[in-house]
Amino acid sequence: MQLHISPSMRSITISSSNEFIDLMKIKVAARHISYRTLFHTILILAFLLPFVFILTALVTLEGVNKCSSIDCLGRRIGPRLLGRVDDSERLARDFYKILNEVSTQEIPDGLKLPNSFSQLVSDMKNNHYDAKTFALVLRAMMDKFERDMRESKFAELMNKHFAASSIPKGIHCLSLRLTDEYSSNAHARRQLPSPEFLPVLSDNAYHHFILSTDNILAASVVVSSAVQSSSKPEKIVFHIITDKKTYAGMHSWFALNSVAPAIVEVKGVHQFDWLTRENVPVLEAVESHNGVRNYYHGNHVAGANLTETTPRTFASKLQSRSPKYISLLNHLRIYIPELFPNLDKVVFLDDDIVVQGDLTPLWDVDLGGKVNGAVETCRGEDEWVMSKRLRNYFNFSHPLIAKHLDPEECAWAYGMNVFDLQAWRKTNIRETYHNWLRENLKSNLTMWKLGTLPPALIAFKGHVHIIDSSWHMLGLGYQSKTNIENVKKAAVIHYNGQSKPWLEIGFEHLRPFWTKYVNYSNDFIKNCHILE
C-alpha cells in the first residue's frame, strides 16, 4: 500500500502495492494549503489507513480483484444499505434451491444411511459430501425415521387393542374363585333376591336398573356406585344379566356381598325362556358369519395400507373390532321389553360406567312419548366422542345408507339410557334392528362395521328424547386430557374406549373415580390381587 501526494499538493492518492487499484483519491481545492490543514488531513488518514488495510486484505484473500473497494466494502458490511446481497443469504438461497430439487427426486436404491446425526456429520467429513448429496442423505434419513415412527405407533395401537380385548389375570382369578365358591358354599348359592322380595322384581313403584355383563368386578362397581349415590337406595332394583359361564361367579359375588337396602337379581341368558335362537335368528347369523369372525378374530393389519392410514383412523378401526360386538350380551339391550314384560320404565347401564349422582330424578323425566332418553354426542368439542354424527358410523357411499340416513344428523350415546318400555312395545324397533343387521351381513359388512350402536341409531330413529348432557359424560376410556372438574360434576361417567379403569392401560388420573367403589377389604379381591 502506497501514499502519493501530487507535486502541486492538489491531490492525495492511496493505492495498492501492485498499483493496479486506486483505493482512495482525495482532491484538494486549488487554494494554498496551510500546514494546519495538512496536519489534520494526515491525522484523518492515519485513522483510515488501518481500515483500508483490513479491507484490502479481505479483497486479496477472497480473490476479488475485479471489484472496487467501495463495492467490496458494501458487499461485506452493508448489503442492505447498498442494495447488495450478503454471502450468507446467497448460500441459504442456494441451499433452499437444492432442497427443493432433492424433494422431488427418487431416493437411489442401496443408499447407505447413517443411524444418527453425529454419524451423518462424520460421513460428511470423510466422504466430502457436496450440498446436493448431503440434502439427499438428509431426506432419506427423515423418510426412514418417519416410517419407523409410524410403524411404532401402529404397533403400539395393536398392543393396546390386544390389552383392551384380554381379560386381566386378577379379574379371571376373581371369576374362577367365585365360581368355585358357588359350588362349595351354600351362602353363595342362596336365592337372589330373597323370596319375600320376589314381587318387587316386577313392581313399577321401584327404580329398575338393567346391567348386562360378564365382568364381575365391573358389575360390583356399577351397583355399589349407584346405591351409594342414590337418595332412595331402598327403591333400587338391579337386574344383572350375564352369560352361562359367568353366572355362578356373578351370583356368588352378590349373594356374599349385600348392597341392602337395594335389591339385586342375577340371571343368566340361558334362564330366559324367550331368548332362544328361534326368536333371534339374526344373532346366530352374526356369530356364525365367516366375514364377521374373520373381521373380529383375523389379522387386523392384513390388507390395511398403513402408509395411507392415519394412526387415529387405525385406532378407530381397531376399536370397532372389539370382540364384544358379536356377543349376545352386547345386543341384549334391544330385547329388554320382551325380557322384562312387566316393567314400564327402566334405566340401562353399561358395565364401564360409574354413578356419581342421584339418578332418582330420571324416573320423573317426561320422554314425551319417545322410547329412548339419551345424551346427544354432537354438541361438544371433543372429536373422539362428543362430535359424532351419523357420517362417523355409516358408509354413505352405500346406496341404502345414503337413501335412508342424513350424514349430518346428530348421534346419541349408549351406556346410560332411560327406556319407556310401554312406548317401546308399540313400535317395530326390534324388527327394524334385525332387518338392518341382515342387510349389513348381505353387503359383507360394507354398510357399517358391526356393533350395537349403528343399527340402534337406525332402529330408534324418531324415538329418541334428548336429555341433559350432565347426566352422562363419555370418553374417559379414550383421552387422557379429560377435564377433571367436568368429571366431578357428571352424574354418570363412562369409560367407553379401550382404556378401561380395570386395565393397566387405563388413565391413572381417571382411575380413582372408579377404584373408590372397589371393595379392597374383600378377601376375593385381596387374594386375586385386583389392581395391586
Side-chain angles (χ1 to χ4, degrees):
M1 186 180 296
Q2 297 178 349
L3 177 68
H4 300 279
I5 303 176
S6 65
S8 62
M9 302 294 287
R10 296 290 181 90
S11 66
I12 301 173
T13 302
I14 301 172
S15 63
S16 63
S17 59
N18 56 19
E19 298 187 5
F20 286 110
I21 300 176
D22 290 338
L23 298 179
M24 188 174 293
K25 195 167 188 176
I26 302 174
K27 291 185 178 182
V28 183
R31 64 183 182 82
H32 177 73
I33 301 175
S34 66
Y35 287 106
R36 178 176 294 180
T37 302
L38 181 61
F39 173 76
H40 288 161
T41 301
I42 293 174
L43 186 63
I44 293 172
L45 292 176
F47 281 98
L48 289 177
L49 285 176
F51 295 102
V52 174
F53 174 78
I54 294 172
L55 179 62
T56 304
L58 287 173
V59 171
T60 303
L61 288 173
E62 292 185 359
V64 186
N65 295 321
K66 294 184 180 180
C67 64
S68 67
S69 59
I70 299 299
D71 178 68
C72 291
L73 181 64
R75 181 170 55 80
R76 298 302 299 167
I77 65 174
R80 290 179 177 79
L81 179 63
L82 300 179
R84 300 299 301 271
V85 178
D86 190 10
D87 281 347
S88 61
E89 293 183 2
R90 187 178 70 253
L91 289 173
R93 187 173 63 245
D94 292 342
F95 192 61
Y96 296 152
K97 182 179 179 181
I98 292 172
L99 289 176
N100 287 330
E101 292 176 359
V102 168
S103 66
T104 59
Q105 292 183 1
E106 292 290 334
I107 303 296
D109 294 333
L111 181 64
K112 186 177 180 181
L113 300 179
N115 295 319
S116 63
F117 181 76
S118 60
Q119 186 179 343
L120 173 63
V121 174
S122 176
D123 289 351
M124 287 179 61
K125 292 178 180 179
N126 297 333
N127 301 325
H128 305 290
Y129 286 168
D130 57 23
K132 188 171 183 178
T133 303
F134 168 75
L136 193 64
V137 172
L138 187 62
R139 180 198 157 194
M141 287 181 64
M142 295 296 293
D143 288 349
K144 180 180 181 297
F145 290 154
E146 184 178 349
R147 287 195 304 271
D148 291 345
M149 288 179 62
R150 284 177 61 82
E151 290 175 3
S152 297
K153 183 63 178 178
F154 288 127
E156 176 191 353
L157 292 172
M158 282 297 299
N159 292 334
K160 189 173 182 179
H161 171 71
F162 291 134
S165 302
S166 64
I167 301 174
K169 182 171 64 175
I171 292 180
H172 183 61
C173 166
L174 183 66
S175 181
L176 291 178
R177 286 178 177 266
L178 287 167
T179 299
D180 181 67
E181 194 73 12
Y182 184 84
S183 63
S184 60
N185 186 345
H187 292 288
R189 296 192 303 272
R190 71 180 179 86
Q191 185 175 347
L192 285 179
S194 301
E196 64 270 22
F197 292 114
L198 288 178
V200 173
L201 298 180
S202 57
D203 188 343
N204 285 294
Y206 284 78
H207 301 153
H208 295 268
F209 292 91
I210 297 176
L211 174 63
S212 176
T213 180
D214 60 355
N215 187 327
I216 299 172
L217 183 65
S220 72
V221 169
V222 174
V223 174
S224 296
S225 63
V227 173
Q228 292 181 36
S229 301
S230 175
S231 62
K232 298 179 180 179
E234 69 281 359
K235 301 288 287 185
I236 289 179
V237 179
F238 259 97
H239 304 268
I240 300 176
I241 308 172
T242 190
D243 56 18
K244 191 173 184 177
K245 65 178 176 60
T246 313
Y247 171 75
M250 189 76 74
H251 190 284
S252 293
W253 176 267
F254 288 102
L256 298 174
N257 297 277
S258 173
V259 290
I263 296 169
V264 176
E265 174 193 32
V266 177
K267 296 197 73 171
V269 170
H270 58 287
Q271 294 176 319
F272 288 97
D273 295 334
W274 180 86
L275 199 62
T276 63
R277 294 300 181 186
E278 290 73 24
N279 288 331
V280 287
V282 68
L283 293 186
E284 183 177 15
V286 167
E287 291 187 344
S288 61
H289 190 278
N290 287 333
V292 172
R293 299 200 66 80
N294 290 336
Y295 182 77
Y296 287 100
H297 299 287
N299 189 333
H300 299 326
V301 179
N305 188 347
L306 299 184
T307 60
E308 298 179 359
T309 302
T310 65
R312 174 172 173 169
T313 300
F314 188 66
S316 297
K317 290 180 178 180
L318 288 177
Q319 173 65 15
S320 69
R321 290 190 174 202
S322 173
K324 72 177 183 179
Y325 290 137
I326 58 174
S327 166
L328 176 59
L329 287 176
N330 203 40
H331 289 271
L332 204 63
R333 66 194 81 187
I334 202 68
Y335 307 111
I336 289 176
E338 290 77 22
L339 299 180
F340 301 96
N342 297 318
L343 297 182
D344 296 338
K345 195 173 189 179
V346 300
V347 169
F348 179 87
L349 298 174
D350 271 349
D351 64 357
D352 53 354
I353 65 100
V354 173
V355 180
Q356 299 187 133
D358 183 14
L359 301 186
T360 301
L362 286 177
W363 270 263
D364 297 325
V365 173
D366 182 7
L367 299 182
K370 305 290 186 181
V371 173
N372 179 5
V375 168
E376 276 187 318
T377 56
C378 65
R379 304 299 182 188
E381 297 179 356
D382 169 31
E383 294 181 0
W384 274 106
V385 180
M386 296 306 293
S387 62
K388 299 292 188 183
R389 299 181 182 273
L390 296 194
R391 66 170 181 265
N392 299 109
Y393 297 100
F394 296 98
N395 173 21
F396 276 88
S397 63
H398 194 287
L400 275 179
I401 295 295
K403 179 180 178 181
H404 291 89
L405 300 178
D406 176 7
E408 297 305 315
E409 184 177 337
C410 191
W412 46 267
Y414 252 162
M416 199 288 292
N417 302 84
V418 185
F419 289 130
D420 183 338
L421 302 186
Q422 287 183 311
W424 191 337
R425 295 185 185 102
K426 298 175 184 178
T427 70
N428 61 346
I429 289 174
R430 177 166 58 90
E431 290 72 19
T432 303
Y433 188 91
H434 283 175
N435 290 337
W436 280 93
L437 275 180
R438 291 190 190 96
E439 290 295 333
N440 195 32
L441 289 175
K442 289 178 184 177
S443 69
N444 200 27
L445 309 183
T446 57
M447 299 167 72
W448 72 84
K449 298 306 180 184
L450 275 182
T452 55
L453 183 56
L457 289 172
I458 303 176
F460 283 100
K461 185 176 175 62
H463 300 291
V464 179
H465 174 80
I466 302 304
I467 61 176
D468 191 272
S469 59
S470 63
W471 284 111
H472 186 189
M473 181 181 183
L474 298 102
L476 276 71
Y478 278 117
Q479 50 196 347
S480 60
K481 296 182 180 180
T482 304
N483 188 299
I484 296 298
E485 293 304 315
N486 291 340
V487 173
K488 294 177 181 178
K489 296 175 185 176
V492 170
I493 55 175
H494 196 168
Y495 290 84
N496 59 311
Q498 292 180 317
S499 301
K500 304 298 185 187
W502 55 82
L503 299 175
E504 291 186 5
I505 59 174
F507 299 121
E508 289 297 330
H509 66 296
L510 298 176
R511 198 192 306 274
F513 294 96
W514 186 83
T515 55
K516 68 184 291 187
Y517 295 103
V518 176
N519 182 9
Y520 286 101
S521 63
N522 182 276
D523 288 338
F524 291 100
I525 299 291
K526 288 190 292 186
N527 292 334
C528 288
H529 309 288
I530 299 293
L531 296 175
E532 187 178 37

